[in-house]
Amino acid sequence: MMFSEIAEQEGVDENKLKKRVERGSVVLLRNSGRDIQPLAIGEGMRVKVNANIGYSPDYVDVKKELMKAEVAVEYGADTLMDLSMGVDLDGMRKKIIEHSTVPVGTVPIYQAFIEKKTEMSKEDILKMIEKNCRDGVDFVTLHCGITLDLVDKLNERLIPVTSRGGSFMAAWMIKNKQENPLYEFFDEVLEVVNEYDVVISLGDAMRPACLRDSSDELQLKELFNLGRLTKKAREANTPVIIEGPGHIPLDEIEYNVKLEKKICDNSPFYVLGPLVTDTALGYDHIAGAIGGALAAMHGADFLCYVTPSEHMGLPGIEDVKQGVIASRIAAHAADIVRLGTKEVDDEMSKARGELDWKTMFRLGVDEDIGERYPELLDKEGCSMCGKYCALKIVREYIRS
Amino acid sequence: MMFSEIAEQEGVDENKLKKRVERGSVVLLRNSGRDIQPLAIGEGMRVKVNANIGYSPDYVDVKKELMKAEVAVEYGADTLMDLSMGVDLDGMRKKIIEHSTVPVGTVPIYQAFIEKKTEMSKEDILKMIEKNCRDGVDFVTLHCGITLDLVDKLNERLIPVTSRGGSFMAAWMIKNKQENPLYEFFDEVLEVVNEYDVVISLGDAMRPACLRDSSDELQLKELFNLGRLTKKAREANTPVIIEGPGHIPLDEIEYNVKLEKKICDNSPFYVLGPLVTDTALGYDHIAGAIGGALAAMHGADFLCYVTPSEHMGLPGIEDVKQGVIASRIAAHAADIVRLGTKEVDDEMSKARGELDWKTMFRLGVDEDIGERYPELLDKEGCSMCGKYCALKIVREYIRS
C-alpha cells in the first residue's frame, strides 16, 4: 500500500520502485515510529532538496529555527536536517520532529561530542544514535568513512576538514590514537538504526572545502571506505545514502557522480552544492545551484541547499528561502532532463505567450513574486518593452 | 602594440591571439573612433559578461540607465548593450558611449522600426546602422538570419518569437512580403560596419522562448543561415559573434554550443542565459547562471546577463547588480575549467582556512558583502558553528 502511493506520486511503476528499494538504489525516509508519508530518494525519483536548520552555540533561538523549518518546507524543501549545536539539543530535536511533516535528519555525533568531547566512548556514540532514532529522526548522518590512515594525511590539504562532524571524529581519533569507532563497529551501528527503520546518510568527513582539494586522494579513499560500508549495510538490509562534495570545479562533477554510483553500488547520492567556485561569498546559493543542477543531471539524487550566508554564519529566514528556491531550480532543471517532467514549464510558457500574469505568478518557483510586481496584473505586456512587446507584435502581424 | 597588451591581460601568447583574430575565432570589440581598450572575446579568452541597459517607452529615465551602466561595470560587466526604446534614442546612445569605458553595443533596428514601422526601407535600415557606427558603438546586433521560409513556420511554436528585433523583422517581412533585407543585402551591411571596425553580433531572432521550442527546426535553420552569413563576413574581413539561446534544457546545452561552433566556423558564441527552466520567475538570473556556466564550460564565450526581473519588466539597479554577479559567477566557474584560472579561489580558500574575513570580503564576487556581516571582522569563526568550528578544531587537534 505504501509503495503504490509513492509510485504514483513519483510517476513510476510500483514494481520498479520495489525492486529499486530492495536493491538499495532508492531509499525511503521514515522512522517506523513516525506518522508521515515516506519519502523516496534515488534512481528514477524526482530530485529532492534538503534544508539545514538548527541554532548555533552563540544564538540559541528555538522559535526562529522552527520558523525557518516552516519557510523551508513552504518553498519546497523535501527534508529538514536539524544541525543545532549548543544547549538543550534533546528539546530542539523533539520540537522539530513534532512540527515537521517532512522527514527529519540529524547528526548525532554533534551532541555526543558536545557532551564528552574526545572522552566519548563507542557506547556513548551508539547511545546517542539510539536516542535520536527513538526520538523519531528519519535519517542520521554518520561520519563512518574517515579512518586513521586518512587523518594522518590531513596536512596535505589547503583546508584539512570543513565537515563539522568529520572534524569531531578526526579530533577523537587523533586524541585517542584509535580507529574511528563508527567504521570499526559499523555492524553495531546498523543494529541500532535497523530497529527504527532509520536510513543512514554516510557522511563525507573528507569532502573538499575548496577547489584546490577537490577529487583528491583523501576524498576518494573515504569514498572507497563508504563503498565497503555500503556493502555491509546492504547485507544487514539497512538503506544508505552517500554524502558527497563540496567544492568541485564544473568539469569534475560528472565523474564524481559516476564514481559514487560505481563505488557505492548505485546508492542515492546526496551532495552539498557542489560549489563550482570558492569566490561566491554571499552568493553561494548560486554557485551551489550551478553545481547541483549539473550533479543531478548526471545522477545525484538529493541536493542539500546552500544559502547566501554559507561560509559566513547561520542563515536568516530570508537566506533559508533563497537557499531552498535556488536548490529547487537546480533540482527541477535536472528533473526536466532525467524524467521529462516539464508540464509546469509548458503551462508557464503558455501563460507567458498569453501575457497571463496571474497564472505565471501562480506557477513560478516563488508565489510571492507577484506581490513585487502588482502593476502587471492590470497590464498587457510589461515595462521591458511596453507597446513594442515581441509577443504583441507576433499577435498583430504574425498570427493574423 | 594593441595585441601585446590584450595578450598579456588574457594570459595568452600574442601570436596565438593574432592568428585567432585572423581566423575569426576571436573578435576585438572597439569602434575605430573610440578611445577605449579593445576587448577580446572568443577562443581561449576569459569568458565575458554583457549587461543590457536602456529605458523602455513607458519609463524614460536617462540618468537611471547611466547609473545602471555604472553599477553593471562596477560588479564586473565587460560590455554594455543599450537597448533603449522610446524617445530621443540618439541622445541616449551618445550619452552611454560617452560615459562608458567598456565596449557598447546596440540594436539599430529598434530605432529604425520605431521611426517607420514596417514602412522602413533597406536604406533606412542601413542609414540607422551607419548612424550607430558613426556615434561610436563597438558592436551591433543585427537579426540577419531570419528569412521568409522561417516566418512561414512561426505558428508551429508555443511562443513564436521572443526576440524584440526578431519580431520587428518578422513583422516587416510579413507586411511587405519580401525577404529580410539584412539577409538579402548583407554585403551592403558589411560595407557599412567595416568603415568603423564595428563587430556584428548576428542576432538570433529564432531563439526559443521556452523549453518546448528549444533546438527546433526554426532555431537550427536560422543557425545555418548565420553560418552562411559568417562565411560572407569572413570574406569581407568583418568579425562576427553569433547569438544563441535562450530557453534550453540542461542536456541540450552542450550540443547547442558544439553546433554553433561547427556551423559558424568557430565564431565566438554569445548566449542569453540559457535558461534551464521556464519556471524561475523572479529568479531567472539563477536559471541563467546554471545554463551560462554549462554553456561556457562547453565553449560559449560571452554571456548576456539575465536579471531577476527578466520576463517581468525593466530591471532596477539592484536587479542589474544581481544579474551581473550571477553571470560573473557562471563565467568564472567556466574559466576555472577552460583556462585553469583559479588563483583567486586559492587565495580565498587560504584566507578561509585562516578565518581572515577582511581578505575573504575583498576577494569575493561582491565586495559589499562585508558590510552585511560587520561582526565577523572582530571574530575568529562565525555564527554557524561558534566554538565548534571545524577549522578551529582542526587547528587544535590536527595541526598541533
Side-chain angles (χ1 to χ4, degrees):
Chain A
M1 54 96 226
M2 183 178 83
F3 277 105
S4 63
E5 273 176 54
I6 301 170
E8 203 190 314
Q9 274 187 2
E10 296 283 340
V12 292
D13 176 77
E14 191 181 337
N15 283 324
K16 265 193 195 163
L17 174 65
K18 269 188 198 161
K19 269 188 202 146
R20 288 171 190 171
V21 171
E22 274 165 32
R23 215 189 290 145
S25 65
V26 171
V27 301
L28 300 179
L29 297 186
R30 184 185 60 179
N31 186 306
S32 55
R34 283 250 281 164
D35 187 26
I36 58 164
Q37 166 82 15
L39 182 76
I41 298 178
E43 186 187 357
M45 305 295 116
R46 282 188 308 104
V47 176
K48 305 302 188 299
V49 169
N50 173 70
N52 291 333
I53 58 145
Y55 48 74
S56 85
D58 301 351
Y59 300 88
V60 177
D61 186 338
V62 175
K63 230 170 145 182
K64 194 167 177 190
E65 296 308 320
L66 293 177
M67 273 176 67
K68 287 184 198 170
E70 213 167 285
V71 165
V73 173
E74 184 185 343
Y75 291 98
D78 298 287
T79 64
L80 294 167
M81 286 194 81
D82 171 25
L83 304 187
S84 292
M85 299 278 292
V87 297
D88 192 24
L89 298 177
D90 290 340
M92 175 64 197
R93 182 169 55 250
K94 284 174 186 159
K95 282 213 183 77
I96 182 75
I97 292 170
E98 188 190 312
H99 279 76
S100 299
T101 53
V102 301
V104 171
T106 55
V107 191
I109 203 73
Y110 288 178
Q111 192 176 352
F113 189 84
I114 287 176
E115 289 179 3
K116 300 216 173 167
K117 305 289 180 310
T118 51
E119 306 291 305
M120 65 184 177
S121 65
K122 179 188 78 172
E123 285 66 35
D124 292 328
I125 296 173
L126 291 172
K127 268 187 205 159
M128 189 58 76
I129 297 172
E130 170 131 43
K131 181 151 76 168
N132 276 258
C133 293
R134 208 166 46 231
D135 285 346
V137 304
D138 303 288
F139 61 112
V140 285
T141 289
L142 297 173
H143 300 85
C144 307
I146 176 172
T147 45
L148 273 175
D149 55 326
L150 302 182
V151 171
D152 284 344
K153 289 186 174 177
L154 287 175
N155 277 320
E156 291 175 9
R157 282 185 155 181
L158 184 53
I159 302 181
V161 186
T162 186
S163 155
R164 194 155 56 175
S167 74
F168 296 161
M169 294 316 300
W172 189 94
M173 289 154 75
I174 290 166
K175 191 71 188 293
N176 294 288
K177 299 189 177 60
Q178 283 180 47
E179 188 49 278
N180 179 350
L182 290 169
Y183 182 80
E184 208 175 356
F185 305 102
F186 189 59
D187 298 332
E188 295 179 46
V189 173
L190 294 172
E191 278 176 36
V192 173
V193 298
N194 275 359
E195 217 180 307
Y196 302 89
D197 290 346
V198 165
V199 172
I200 296 179
S201 186
L202 286 166
D204 54 338
M206 294 292 91
R207 73 166 177 268
C210 56
L211 297 185
R212 172 75 82 84
D213 297 330
S214 71
S215 312
D216 69 352
E217 193 178 355
L218 287 173
Q219 185 199 320
L220 293 182
K221 273 194 163 175
E222 184 186 46
L223 187 60
F224 278 103
N225 284 343
L226 298 183
R228 268 183 283 275
L229 298 175
T230 299
K231 210 171 160 227
K232 282 194 179 182
R234 294 273 169 91
E235 283 161 12
N237 283 318
T238 310
V240 296
I241 291 169
I242 308 297
E243 295 188 12
H247 294 239
I248 296 280
L250 272 176
D251 60 344
E252 296 178 15
I253 290 176
E254 180 175 354
Y255 70 68
N256 263 279
V257 176
K258 290 184 173 164
L259 271 171
E260 182 275 341
K261 294 286 178 186
K262 163 92 181 171
I263 296 170
C264 299
D265 194 17
N266 294 306
S267 293
F269 198 24
Y270 178 24
V271 293
L272 177 55
L275 302 176
V276 294
T277 165
D278 303 327
T279 63
L281 202 67
Y283 298 83
D284 275 319
H285 61 308
I286 297 180
I290 294 172
L294 200 53
M297 169 168 81
H298 290 300
D301 308 281
F302 191 19
L303 305 180
C304 185
Y305 85 164
V306 176
T307 78
S309 79
E310 181 74 18
H311 294 115
M312 289 186 294
L314 213 57
I317 286 173
E318 182 61 22
D319 290 317
V320 167
K321 175 180 166 179
Q322 295 297 319
V324 169
I325 287 176
S327 291
R328 278 254 53 99
I329 291 171
H332 177 61
D335 278 340
I336 287 169
V337 306
R338 281 164 67 119
L339 309 170
T341 51
K342 62 181 182 58
E343 294 79 7
V344 192
D345 297 79
D346 289 346
E347 267 189 84
M348 174 67 98
S349 302
K350 195 168 159 281
R352 186 164 282 152
E354 291 163 359
L355 296 167
D356 171 359
W357 295 106
K358 212 172 143 191
T359 304
M360 285 189 263
F361 291 146
R362 180 173 56 78
L363 296 173
V365 281
D366 176 5
E367 288 197 36
D368 309 344
I369 283 295
E371 290 163 27
R372 276 165 44 197
Y373 294 83
E375 73 281 6
L376 288 175
L377 290 172
D378 308 317
K379 261 199 175 170
E380 258 241 324
C382 79
S383 67
M384 179 71 95
C385 309
K387 63 180 170 176
Y388 297 105
C389 171
L391 303 174
K392 284 195 269 186
I393 286 171
V394 164
R395 284 192 203 168
E396 193 181 332
Y397 290 90
I398 302 168
R399 294 229 148 146
S400 61
Chain B
M1 57 96 226
M2 183 179 81
F3 278 105
S4 64
E5 272 175 54
I6 300 170
E8 204 190 313
Q9 273 186 2
E10 295 282 341
V12 292
D13 175 78
E14 191 180 337
N15 283 323
K16 267 194 194 162
L17 174 64
K18 268 187 197 160
K19 270 187 201 147
R20 288 172 189 170
V21 171
E22 275 165 31
R23 215 189 291 145
S25 65
V26 171
V27 301
L28 300 178
L29 298 186
R30 185 186 59 181
N31 186 306
S32 56
R34 283 251 282 164
D35 186 26
I36 57 163
Q37 167 80 16
L39 182 77
I41 297 178
E43 186 188 357
M45 306 294 116
R46 280 187 310 104
V47 176
K48 305 303 189 297
V49 169
N50 173 71
N52 291 333
I53 59 145
Y55 48 73
S56 87
D58 301 350
Y59 300 89
V60 177
D61 186 338
V62 176
K63 230 170 145 184
K64 195 167 176 190
E65 296 307 320
L66 293 177
M67 272 176 67
K68 288 185 198 171
E70 213 168 282
V71 165
V73 173
E74 184 186 343
Y75 290 97
D78 299 288
T79 64
L80 294 167
M81 287 195 80
D82 172 24
L83 304 187
S84 292
M85 300 278 293
V87 296
D88 192 24
L89 298 177
D90 290 341
M92 175 65 197
R93 182 168 56 249
K94 283 174 187 160
K95 282 214 183 78
I96 182 75
I97 292 169
E98 189 190 313
H99 278 78
S100 299
T101 53
V102 301
V104 171
T106 55
V107 190
I109 204 73
Y110 288 177
Q111 192 175 352
F113 190 85
I114 287 177
E115 290 178 3
K116 300 215 174 167
K117 305 287 178 314
T118 51
E119 306 292 304
M120 65 184 177
S121 66
K122 178 188 79 172
E123 285 67 33
D124 292 328
I125 296 174
L126 290 172
K127 268 188 204 156
M128 189 58 75
I129 297 172
E130 170 131 43
K131 182 150 75 166
N132 277 256
C133 294
R134 206 167 48 233
D135 285 346
V137 305
D138 304 287
F139 61 112
V140 285
T141 288
L142 298 173
H143 300 85
C144 306
I146 176 171
T147 45
L148 273 174
D149 53 328
L150 302 182
V151 172
D152 285 343
K153 291 188 174 176
L154 287 176
N155 278 321
E156 291 176 9
R157 281 186 157 182
L158 184 54
I159 302 181
V161 187
T162 186
S163 156
R164 195 155 56 177
S167 74
F168 296 160
M169 293 316 300
W172 188 94
M173 290 155 75
I174 290 166
K175 191 72 187 292
N176 294 289
K177 298 189 179 60
Q178 282 180 46
E179 190 48 280
N180 180 350
L182 290 169
Y183 183 80
E184 209 175 356
F185 305 102
F186 189 59
D187 298 333
E188 295 180 47
V189 174
L190 294 172
E191 277 175 37
V192 172
V193 298
N194 275 358
E195 217 182 305
Y196 302 89
D197 291 346
V198 165
V199 172
I200 296 180
S201 187
L202 286 166
D204 53 338
M206 294 293 91
R207 74 166 176 271
C210 55
L211 297 185
R212 173 74 83 85
D213 297 329
S214 72
S215 311
D216 71 352
E217 193 178 356
L218 287 172
Q219 184 198 321
L220 294 181
K221 273 194 164 175
E222 183 186 45
L223 187 61
F224 278 104
N225 284 343
L226 298 184
R228 270 183 284 275
L229 298 174
T230 298
K231 209 170 162 229
K232 283 195 180 180
R234 294 273 170 90
E235 283 160 11
N237 283 318
T238 310
V240 295
I241 290 170
I242 308 298
E243 296 187 11
H247 294 238
I248 296 281
L250 272 177
D251 61 343
E252 296 178 15
I253 290 176
E254 180 176 354
Y255 71 66
N256 264 279
V257 176
K258 290 183 174 165
L259 272 171
E260 183 276 341
K261 294 286 175 187
K262 163 93 182 172
I263 296 170
C264 299
D265 194 18
N266 294 306
S267 292
F269 197 24
Y270 178 23
V271 293
L272 177 56
L275 301 177
V276 294
T277 166
D278 303 328
T279 63
L281 201 68
Y283 298 83
D284 276 319
H285 61 308
I286 297 180
I290 294 172
L294 200 53
M297 169 168 81
H298 290 300
D301 307 282
F302 192 19
L303 304 180
C304 185
Y305 85 165
V306 177
T307 78
S309 78
E310 180 75 18
H311 294 116
M312 289 186 293
L314 213 57
I317 286 174
E318 182 62 22
D319 289 318
V320 168
K321 175 180 166 179
Q322 295 299 319
V324 170
I325 288 176
S327 291
R328 277 254 55 98
I329 290 171
H332 177 60
D335 278 341
I336 287 169
V337 307
R338 282 164 67 120
L339 309 170
T341 51
K342 63 180 182 56
E343 294 79 7
V344 192
D345 296 79
D346 289 346
E347 266 189 86
M348 174 67 98
S349 303
K350 196 168 160 280
R352 185 164 282 153
E354 291 163 358
L355 297 166
D356 170 0
W357 295 105
K358 213 173 140 187
T359 304
M360 285 189 262
F361 291 145
R362 180 174 56 77
L363 296 173
V365 281
D366 176 6
E367 287 197 37
D368 309 343
I369 284 295
E371 290 162 27
R372 275 167 42 198
Y373 294 83
E375 73 282 6
L376 288 174
L377 290 172
D378 307 317
K379 259 198 176 172
E380 258 240 326
C382 79
S383 67
M384 179 70 95
C385 309
K387 63 180 170 178
Y388 297 106
C389 170
L391 304 174
K392 284 196 269 183
I393 287 171
V394 165
R395 282 192 204 167
E396 193 182 331
Y397 290 89
I398 301 167
R399 294 227 147 146
S400 62

